[in-house]
C-alpha cells in the first residue's frame, strides 16, 4: 500500500514542476509519509545498506573505468597504475574490491532475513522473485568484475567457470566458443566482460526499482509476520525508519572501513597479484568467498553435467520458495521447528562455503556430498513437510501488540556476530593452501599493524641489496625512479633520485634515423629489466623465469591455520608475504635431507613449495656493505630487502593507514551521534 | 518473426571468434628434431598448450598393454597417434575436468597429473583415475615430413 499522496509543495516554482512531473509527491509518499511497521528490527536496515552499496559500487566503478584498460596485455598494469599513480586510486580500488564483498555479505543477511521471517510469502512472491533475479545479476557482475584485473585467479577462474557450459550436451562447446570469442579465454573475453560488467549494475538498478515498487505495493513484512491493520501499527518512514537506517548504515560503514583501510587483501587471493599466465595453472583455483558454497555443490557431484545443473539449481530453488513453504504462519519467531532448522541451514551454508575452498580430497568430498544433500533437503523436503505438520505458536493480534510485548535487542549483536564469524570463516578459507609445507617463521615488521610505518633506513639498505644482488636477474618494472622520492617511501631527495636514475642506461627511440639508442635514465623512467624478454630470462636461468619483484610480497602467502586466522583479522596480521620472502632468502640448505633427490639444476630451500628452487642461494655474509654500519649479514640483507619490496608492492601503505585512522574516528563519532538521535526519535514510538 | 531472428543474428554472431582471432589460430608447424627420446615440449596453438611427447619404447608398450575396455574413456593407443609415428604423442594439455594444465611425466602412469583435482592420465594421454571424464584431446595434426608436424 502506498502512502498518502496528498503532498503539495508550497513554493510556486516547485508547484509548477509538481504539476508536470509529480516526483516530489512520489518521493514524499514513498520515503517520507510511507507507513512502515513500528516493530522492525535491525535486520530490516539491510535493504538501505544494499541500496547504498549499489550506489557506492557504481560510483567507484565508473570512476575506475576512467583509468582502466580492458586489454589482456595492459589490464594488469593499468590496475597497478590506478593504485600507484591515480590520486586516491588506491582508495577507489580498495573501496570497489572490498565493496563487492560487503555487497554480497549484506545480500546474504538480507536474504536470510527474508527466509526467517517468511517475507517471500503471499502477497510478496513477486518481490521475492525479483530479489532472486537481482542476486543472479549480482553473481554475474561479480564474476566478470573479478576477471578484469587479469591476474592468475582472474584468468583461471574465468577458464573454469566458462568451461562449465561445455557440460551442455551437443551445443556445449559451441556455447563456450561463443562466450570466449576465441579458442580459449583471451582478449576478446576480457573486453566483453568489461562491457557487460559496466552494463549489468544498471540493469540491477532497474530491477531494484521494480523490487522497491513491489515492496511498496504489499508493504513491508515485520518480525511478527502480521500485516499492519491500523495506524497504530505503523510510523511514517521519515524520521523513524530513516534514522534507524542511517544508524545501521553507519555501523556497516565501520565494518566496511576495516577492510578498505586495514585489511584490503584479507578476502582476496594472493595469486591475483601474479599476472595471468595461460601456461601455468595455480595450485588452488578458488573463487571469491561469496561463490564458495555453490562451488562446493558443483564439485560434490561426480558427473560434470549433473554438477553444473546442481549448482544452478541451488540458486533457482530459491525462486520456488513461496510454493515450497506454504505454511500460513509467516515469521519463524512463532514456528519453533522451522526456527531450529533455519539455523541448521545457515550452518550448512557456512560449512559448504568452507568446503568450497578445500582441495576436493578425502573427507572433504564426503562432507561436501552430505551437506549438498542437506542444502537441497531443506528446500525440497523439510519446508514442504513442516508446512503440513508443524503446529505454530499463536501470533500477536497486531503489530502494536507486538511492540508492547518486550523483545530484546539481541538481534543487533546477532547480526554483528554473524558478520564477523562469516568473515573469519572466509578469511580462513582463503588461506587454505593445503600443502604439507612448513610455514616460514614470523618476523617482526615495522609496517605491521594499524600504526605501522616503513623504516626509512631499512628501505634504503634494501634498495642497495636489490641493486647490487637481485637486479642481476629480477626486474622491478612497476617502480619508477621518481617513486624513491615519494611520501611514505625510502625518502630520497629529488637530486638523489636524478643522480640515481642517471646511473642507468635506458633504451629510447626511434631517433630521426629510425634507430633505437641508449640514454641516461631520468626520474620518470622505470627500473629497467635485466633481460630483453621472457625467453632471454629463461635461457640465462636454466629454464626458470625470475619473477618481477614489484609485487612479490603481496603475491605470496601461506596457510595460517585455525585459530590463528581468527586472531589475524583482529590484529590485522597480513605479513605472510614478507615472512615468506625472508624465509626463502634465508632458507637455503647445503644438502637436501636424507632420501630427498633434487632435480638437475635445483637447490634445496626449506620454504619453497616442493623444496626445489632454481635460484641458487643469492645472499652471503659480507656481500653488501652498508654506509650506516648495519651488520653485513644474510639476516640483515633479507630483512631490509623485504622491507624495501613491501614498499614497492604497496607504496601508499602509510597514507592508507593514516586516512583510515581519520575515517574511523569520524565514523565512530557519527555512529554515536546517530545512535542517540535514533533513540530520541523513537522515544515516543516504543 | 523471421525479421526478428534476422535482426538478432548479427548481435549473436559478433560474439563468435572474429577474423583476426581465426587467422591467429591458423595452423603452425613444429620441428620435432630437437626433442630427445623421453622428452616433451609445450607449444601454444589457438591459445591452448599442446604437449608433444617423444615417447620411449617403455611408454608405448605400457600404453598398449592396457585392456581398452577397462578405461573410463575407452580408446586404443593406436587411435591416438599417427601410423608409423607411434613414438610421437600430440595432445592438448588441458584437463578435461575443469580446464587446468596437467603436469607432464607425473603420476602413477608415467603420463600426466593434474594438480587441481588429482586426475591422472597415462602415457597415451588417456584418463585413468580422477574426476576428469575424457581423455586428453588430440588436436588435428599431420606429419609434413618425418621430423615436422603441422598442428591445425
Amino acid at each position: 500500500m502506498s502512502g498518502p499522496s496528498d503532498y503539495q509543495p508550497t513554493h510556486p516554482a516547485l508547484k509548477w514542476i509538481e504539476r508536470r512531473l509529480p516526483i516530489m509527491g512520489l518521493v514524499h509518499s514513498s520515503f517520507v509519509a510511507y507507513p512502515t511497521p513500528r516493530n522492525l528490527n535491525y535486520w530490516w536496515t539491510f535493504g538501505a545498506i544494499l541500496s547504498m552499496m549499489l550506489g557506492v559500487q557504481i560510483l567507484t566503478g565508473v570512476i575506475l573505468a576512467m583509468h582502466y584498460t580492458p586489454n589482456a596485455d595492459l589490464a594488469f598494469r593499468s590496475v597497478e597504475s590506478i593504485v600507484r599513480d591515480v590520486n586516491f586510486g588506491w582508495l577507489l580500488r580498495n573501496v570497489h574490491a572490498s565493496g563487492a564483498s560487503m555487497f554480497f555479505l549484506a545480500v546474504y543477511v538480507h536474504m536470510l532475513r527474508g527466509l526467517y521471517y517468511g517475507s517471500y510469502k503471499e502477497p510478496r512472491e513477486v518481490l521475492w522473485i525479483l530479489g532472486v533475479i537481482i542476486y543472479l545479476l549480482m553473481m554475474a557482475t561479480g564474476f566478470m568484475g573479478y576477471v578484469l584485473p587479469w591476474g592468475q585467479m582472474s584468468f583461471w577462474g574465468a577458464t573454469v567457470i566458462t568451461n562449465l557450459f561445455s557440460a551442455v550436451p551437443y551445443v556445449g562447446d559451441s556455447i563456450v566458443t561463443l562466450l570466449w570469442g576465441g579458442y580459449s579465454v583471451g582478449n576478446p573475453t576480457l573486453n566483453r566482460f568489461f562491457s557487460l560488467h559496466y552494463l549489468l549494475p544498471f540493469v540491477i538498478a532497474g530491477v531494484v526499482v521494480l523490487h522497491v515498487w513491489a515492496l511498496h505495493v504489499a508493504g513491508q513484512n515485520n518480525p511478527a509476520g502480521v500485516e499492519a491493520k491500523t495506524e497504530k501499527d505503523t510510523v511514517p518512514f521519515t524520521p523513524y525508519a530513516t534514522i534507524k537506517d542511517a544508524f545501521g548504515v553507519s555501523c556497516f560503514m565501520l565494518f566496511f572501513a576495516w577492510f578498505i583501510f586495514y585489511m584490503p587483501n584479507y578476502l582476496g587471493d594472493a595469486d591475483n597479484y601474479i599476472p595471468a599466465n595461460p601456461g601455468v595453472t595455480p595450485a588452488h583455483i578458488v573463487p571469491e568467498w561469496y561463490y564458495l558454497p555453490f562451488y562446493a555443490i558443483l564439485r560434490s557431484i561426480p558427473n560434470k553435467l549433473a554438477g553444473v545443473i546442481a549448482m544452478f539449481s541451488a540458486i533457482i530453488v530459491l525462486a520456488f520458495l513461496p510454493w515450497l513453504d506454504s505454511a500460513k504462519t509467516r515469521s519463524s519467531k512463532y514456528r519453533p521447528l522451522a526456527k531450529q532448522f533455519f539455523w541448521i541451514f545457515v550452518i550448512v551454508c557456512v560449512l559448504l562455503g568452507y568446503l568450497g575452498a578445500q582441495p576436493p580430497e578425502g573427507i572433504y568430498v564426503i562432507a561436501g556430498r552430505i551437506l549438498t544433500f542437506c542444502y537441497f533437503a531443506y528446500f525440497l523436503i523439510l519446508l514442504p513437510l513442516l508446512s503440513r505438520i508443524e503446529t505454530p505458536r499463536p501470533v500477536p493480534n497486531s503489530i502494536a501488540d507486538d511492540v508492547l510485548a518486550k523483545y530484546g535487542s539481541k538481534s543487533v549483536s546477532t547480526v554483528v556476530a554473524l558478520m564477523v564469524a562469516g568473515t573469519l570463516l572466509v578469511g580462513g578459507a582463503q588461506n587454505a593452501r593445503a600443502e604439507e609445507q612448513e610455514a616460514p617463521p614470523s618476523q617482526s615488521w615495522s609496517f605491521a599493524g594499524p600504526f605501522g610505518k616503513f623504516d626509512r633506513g631499512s628501505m634504503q639498505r634494501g634498495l642497495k641489496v636489490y641493486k647490487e644482488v637481485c637486479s642481476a636477474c629480477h626486474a622491478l618494472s612497476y617502480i619508477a625512479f621518481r617513486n624513491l622520492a615519494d611520501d611514505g617511501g625510502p625518502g630520497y631527495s629529488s637530486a638523489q633520485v636524478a643522480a640515481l636514475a642517471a646511473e642507468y642506461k635506458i633504451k629510447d627511440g626511434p631517433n630521426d634515423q629510425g634507430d633505437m639508442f641508449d640514454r641516461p635514465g631520468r626520474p620518470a623512467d622505470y627500473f629497467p629489466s635485466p633481460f630483453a624478454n621472457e625467453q632471454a630470462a629463461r635461457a640465462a636461468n636454466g629454464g626458470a623465469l625470475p619473477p618481477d619483484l614489484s609485487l612479490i610480497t603481496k603475491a605470496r602467502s601461506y596457510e595460517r591455520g585455525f585459530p590463528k586466522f581468527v586472531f589475524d583479522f583482529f590484529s590485522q596480521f597480513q605479513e605472510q608475504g614478507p615472512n615468506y620472502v625472508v624465509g626463502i632468502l634465508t632458507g637455503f640448505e647445503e644438502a637436501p635431507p636424507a632420501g630427498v633427490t633434487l632435480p638437475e639444476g635445483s637447490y634445496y630451500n626449506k620454504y619453497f613449495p616442493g623444496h626445489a628452487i632454481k635460484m641458487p642461494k643469492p645472499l652471503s655474509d659480507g656481500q653488501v656493505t652498508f654506509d650506516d654500519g648495519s651488520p653485513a649479514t644474510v639476516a640483515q640483507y633479507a630483512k631490509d630487502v623485504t622491507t624495501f619490496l613491501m614498499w614497492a608492492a604497496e607504496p601508499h601503505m602509510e597514507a592508507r593507514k593514516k586516512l583510515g585512522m581519520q575515517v574511523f574516528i569520524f565514523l565512530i563519532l557519527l555512529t554515536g551521534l546517530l545512535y542517540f538521535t535514533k533513540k530520541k526519535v523513537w522515544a515516543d514510538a516504543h | 518473426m523471421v525479421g526478428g531472428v534476422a535482426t538478432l543474428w548479427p548481435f549473436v554472431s559478433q560474439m563468435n571468434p572474429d577474423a583476426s582471432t581465426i587467422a591467429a589460430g591458423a595452423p603452425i608447424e613444429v620441428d620435432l628434431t630437437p626433442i630427445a627420446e623421453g622428452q616433451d615440449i609445450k607449444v601454444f596453438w589457438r591459445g591452448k598448450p599442446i604437449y608433444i611427447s617423444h615417447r620411449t619404447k617403455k611408454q608405448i608398450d605400457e600404453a598398449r598393454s592396457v585392456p581398452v575396455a577397462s578405461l573410463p574413456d575407452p580408446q586404443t593407443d593406436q587411435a591416438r597417434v599417427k601410423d608409423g609415428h607411434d613414438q610421437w604423442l600430440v595432445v592438448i594439455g588441458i584437463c578435461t575436468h575443469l580446464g587446468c594444465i596437467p603436469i607432464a611425466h607425473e603420476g602413477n602412469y608415467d603420463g600426466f597429473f593434474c594438480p587441481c583435482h588429482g586426475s591422472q592420465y597415462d602415457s597415451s594421454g588417456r584418463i585413468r583415475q580422477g574426476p576428469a571424464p575424457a581423455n586428453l584431446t588430440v588436436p588435428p595434426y599431420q606429419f609434413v615430413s618425418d621430423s615436422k608436424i603441422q598442428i591445425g
Side-chain angles (χ1 to χ4, degrees):
Chain A
M1 63 191 155
S2 286
S5 57
D6 53 357
Y7 175 76
Q8 269 302 313
T10 46
H11 194 276
L14 296 178
K15 263 195 163 66
W16 184 92
I17 297 176
E18 185 72 10
R19 183 159 161 251
R20 288 152 178 77
L21 183 72
I23 195 165
M24 284 168 274
L26 178 67
V27 170
H28 186 267
S29 64
S30 306
F31 300 108
V32 178
Y34 181 74
T36 189
R38 61 164 26 135
N39 63 338
L40 296 185
N41 58 35
Y42 280 97
W43 294 104
W44 262 262
T45 56
F46 279 84
I49 289 173
L50 284 166
S51 306
M52 177 202 68
M53 284 313 300
L54 181 62
V56 165
Q57 290 300 95
I58 289 180
L59 180 68
T60 53
V62 168
I63 292 174
L64 284 169
M66 296 180 182
H67 303 276
Y68 169 77
T69 306
N71 178 291
D73 298 325
L74 303 170
F76 190 88
R77 196 165 273 272
S78 77
V79 172
E80 277 304 309
S81 192
I82 289 171
V83 172
R84 289 162 193 274
D85 292 329
V86 171
N87 297 332
F88 296 104
W90 58 267
L91 178 63
L92 290 163
R93 199 264 174 112
N94 281 0
V95 170
H96 197 76
S98 306
S101 282
M102 295 297 108
F103 202 7
F104 275 97
L105 195 61
V107 94
Y108 285 136
V109 172
H110 187 73
M111 289 160 79
L112 286 173
R113 179 278 311 260
L115 229 58
Y116 186 82
Y117 290 109
S119 306
Y120 48 83
K121 290 178 187 290
E122 190 266 333
R124 297 183 181 87
E125 301 95 323
V126 172
L127 171 67
W128 176 258
I129 291 173
L130 286 170
V132 175
I133 292 174
I134 292 173
Y135 178 58
L136 278 165
L137 288 171
M138 278 175 66
M139 292 184 96
T141 310
F143 162 64
M144 291 190 292
Y146 194 65
V147 175
L148 300 182
W150 211 240
Q152 271 290 66
M153 226 29 108
S154 307
F155 180 90
W156 288 99
T159 302
V160 167
I161 299 303
T162 46
N163 262 324
L164 289 180
F165 291 93
S166 63
V168 176
Y170 303 117
V171 290
D173 287 326
S174 309
I175 293 178
V176 177
T177 307
L178 185 84
L179 288 176
W180 284 343
Y183 305 108
S184 58
V185 169
N187 195 50
T189 325
L190 176 60
N191 252 311
R192 62 192 52 182
F193 277 9
F194 178 61
S195 171
L196 294 173
H197 181 74
Y198 201 119
L199 169 72
L200 283 186
F202 295 100
V203 175
I204 290 176
V207 184
V208 165
V209 167
L210 294 177
H211 189 68
V212 174
W213 181 8
L215 173 70
H216 282 206
V217 164
Q220 283 155 297
N221 192 10
N222 65 82
V226 169
E227 295 301 295
K229 298 183 187 97
T230 67
E231 262 181 37
K232 280 202 311 176
D233 291 336
T234 64
V235 286
F237 193 88
T238 302
Y240 294 93
T242 318
I243 191 68
K244 202 163 175 178
D245 282 348
F247 174 64
V249 164
S250 194
C251 294
F252 188 81
M253 292 299 287
L254 268 168
F255 186 67
F256 188 8
W258 186 256
F259 289 95
I260 297 171
F261 294 101
Y262 293 114
M263 299 291 280
N265 296 307
Y266 187 77
L267 295 171
D269 195 310
D271 275 348
N272 227 27
Y273 279 105
I274 304 172
N277 185 344
V280 173
T281 316
H284 294 277
I285 299 181
V286 188
E288 281 290 83
W289 68 268
Y290 31 87
Y291 299 124
L292 288 175
F294 301 105
Y295 198 55
I297 292 176
L298 168 77
R299 296 190 307 182
S300 290
I301 321 276
N303 178 293
K304 189 164 158 185
L305 179 59
V308 172
I309 292 177
M311 187 180 77
F312 284 117
S313 304
I315 307 168
I316 305 294
V317 74
L318 290 168
F320 293 97
L321 204 48
W323 295 277
L324 289 167
D325 175 14
S326 48
K328 289 281 176 294
T329 311
R330 248 193 215 106
S331 169
S332 294
K333 249 175 98 170
Y334 305 99
R335 302 179 62 190
L337 282 177
K339 184 197 277 198
Q340 286 177 37
F341 282 107
F342 169 81
W343 289 111
I344 294 175
F345 173 73
V346 171
I347 291 172
V348 164
C349 289
V350 171
L351 285 175
L352 274 171
Y354 171 75
L355 285 174
Q358 306 311 311
E361 294 158 4
I363 187 152
Y364 296 132
V365 175
I366 304 170
R369 289 189 183 153
I370 296 174
L371 290 169
T372 302
F373 174 77
C374 292
Y375 180 95
F376 283 105
Y378 177 76
F379 290 107
L380 299 172
I381 303 175
L382 189 85
L383 287 179
L385 195 63
L386 279 184
S387 28
R388 279 158 187 67
I389 65 166
E390 184 178 27
T391 341
R393 286 180 18 229
V395 300
N397 276 325
S398 68
I399 293 177
D401 288 346
D402 183 46
V403 170
L404 291 171
K406 256 195 354 209
Y407 64 85
S409 63
K410 65 179 178 349
S411 46
V412 180
S413 40
T414 327
V415 173
V416 172
L418 261 177
M419 278 164 74
V420 174
T423 316
L424 289 175
L425 203 82
V426 158
Q430 292 297 74
N431 275 319
R433 273 126 222 293
E435 270 110 45
E436 329 78 27
Q437 189 74 26
E438 197 186 325
S442 288
Q443 310 288 330
S444 86
W445 298 104
S446 65
F447 48 81
F451 306 104
K453 282 197 169 31
F454 289 116
D455 179 333
R456 307 260 168 278
S458 186
M459 284 198 281
Q460 296 198 1
R461 292 192 297 271
L463 172 62
K464 193 158 201 261
V465 173
Y466 169 74
K467 279 174 67 181
E468 293 181 17
V469 183
C470 323
S471 60
C473 303
H474 290 279
L476 196 71
S477 63
Y478 289 89
I479 301 293
F481 299 117
R482 60 174 164 88
N483 293 128
L484 297 171
D486 285 344
D487 285 337
Y492 289 101
S493 71
S494 328
Q496 287 172 311
V497 162
L500 192 150
E503 291 166 21
Y504 286 82
K505 267 197 346 234
I506 305 290
K507 204 171 242 4
D508 204 351
N511 59 21
D512 292 337
Q513 278 67 47
D515 301 319
M516 303 301 281
F517 60 94
D518 286 336
R519 60 156 175 81
R522 301 193 278 254
D525 291 321
Y526 288 84
F527 274 86
S529 190
F531 301 106
N533 49 59
E534 182 184 325
Q535 289 82 342
R538 285 188 187 275
N541 288 285
L545 178 67
D548 186 307
L549 294 179
S550 312
L551 286 164
I552 199 87
T553 56
K554 289 205 290 194
R556 299 286 184 274
S557 190
Y558 54 89
E559 199 181 326
R560 290 276 287 168
F562 185 81
K564 274 205 187 123
F565 72 78
V566 176
F567 304 128
D568 288 350
F569 177 69
F570 296 102
S571 66
Q572 295 184 9
F573 178 81
Q574 53 202 292
E575 284 73 40
Q576 290 97 318
N579 288 342
Y580 174 87
V581 173
V582 167
I584 293 289
L585 292 173
T586 56
F588 283 89
E589 257 147 55
E590 271 302 316
V596 175
T597 43
L598 287 175
E600 268 291 322
S602 303
Y603 303 87
Y604 186 83
N605 188 294
K606 256 175 87 176
Y607 302 109
F608 188 73
H611 296 298
I613 192 171
K614 274 279 172 53
M615 170 175 75
K617 182 159 175 279
L619 299 171
S620 1
D621 290 334
Q623 201 175 5
V624 179
T625 33
F626 291 127
D627 298 331
D628 62 1
S630 295
T633 58
V634 171
Q636 185 72 35
Y637 300 150
K639 194 83 190 288
D640 289 335
V641 82
T642 306
T643 305
F644 172 72
L645 289 176
M646 186 71 232
W647 168 80
E650 182 124 8
H652 294 291
M653 184 197 282
E654 292 187 359
R656 162 165 71 79
K657 295 187 182 185
K658 182 155 173 245
L659 186 61
M661 183 54 40
Q662 295 167 342
V663 167
F664 253 85
I665 292 173
F666 172 82
L667 280 176
I668 290 174
L669 286 171
L670 180 69
T671 309
L673 286 173
L674 284 171
Y675 178 71
F676 290 113
T677 314
K678 180 255 169 190
K679 273 264 176 277
K680 190 146 186 294
V681 165
W682 279 83
D684 52 357
H686 269 147
Chain B
M1 153 103 192
V2 172
V5 174
T7 313
L8 206 54
W9 178 244
F11 288 97
V12 175
S13 167
Q14 58 81 22
M15 294 262 291
N16 267 322
D18 66 16
S20 66
T21 306
I22 296 175
I28 58 167
E29 278 192 357
V30 184
D31 184 11
L32 302 175
T33 31
I35 312 174
E37 196 178 298
Q39 202 195 357
D40 42 39
I41 64 164
K42 216 194 313 184
V43 299
F44 271 88
W45 175 69
R46 288 195 167 173
K48 299 187 214 260
I50 309 221
Y51 281 115
I52 302 175
S53 268
H54 189 163
R55 304 192 294 176
T56 59
K57 186 159 185 320
K58 184 161 170 285
Q59 285 177 303
I60 303 173
D61 289 341
E62 269 170 3
R64 300 224 162 144
S65 61
V66 178
V68 174
S70 70
L71 295 169
D73 182 9
Q75 226 187 348
T76 61
D77 180 63
Q78 289 85 337
R80 295 174 57 77
V81 293
K82 300 285 183 207
D83 244 353
H85 296 102
D86 303 349
Q87 73 273 39
W88 293 107
L89 178 72
V90 182
V91 286
I92 297 183
I94 295 177
C95 184
T96 55
H97 177 228
L98 285 176
C100 296
I101 300 183
I103 307 168
H105 282 310
E106 289 264 337
N108 305 336
Y109 307 89
D110 197 14
F112 304 86
F113 171 73
C114 184
C116 285
H117 310 105
S119 297
Q120 302 210 32
Y121 302 84
D122 64 15
S123 46
S124 181
R126 295 173 300 196
I127 181 67
R128 298 296 286 274
Q129 72 182 62
N135 302 331
L136 292 178
T137 312
V138 177
Y141 74 100
Q142 59 256 35
F143 275 84
V144 175
S145 73
D146 268 346
S147 62
K148 208 182 261 200
I149 57 171
Q150 180 186 280
I151 304 180

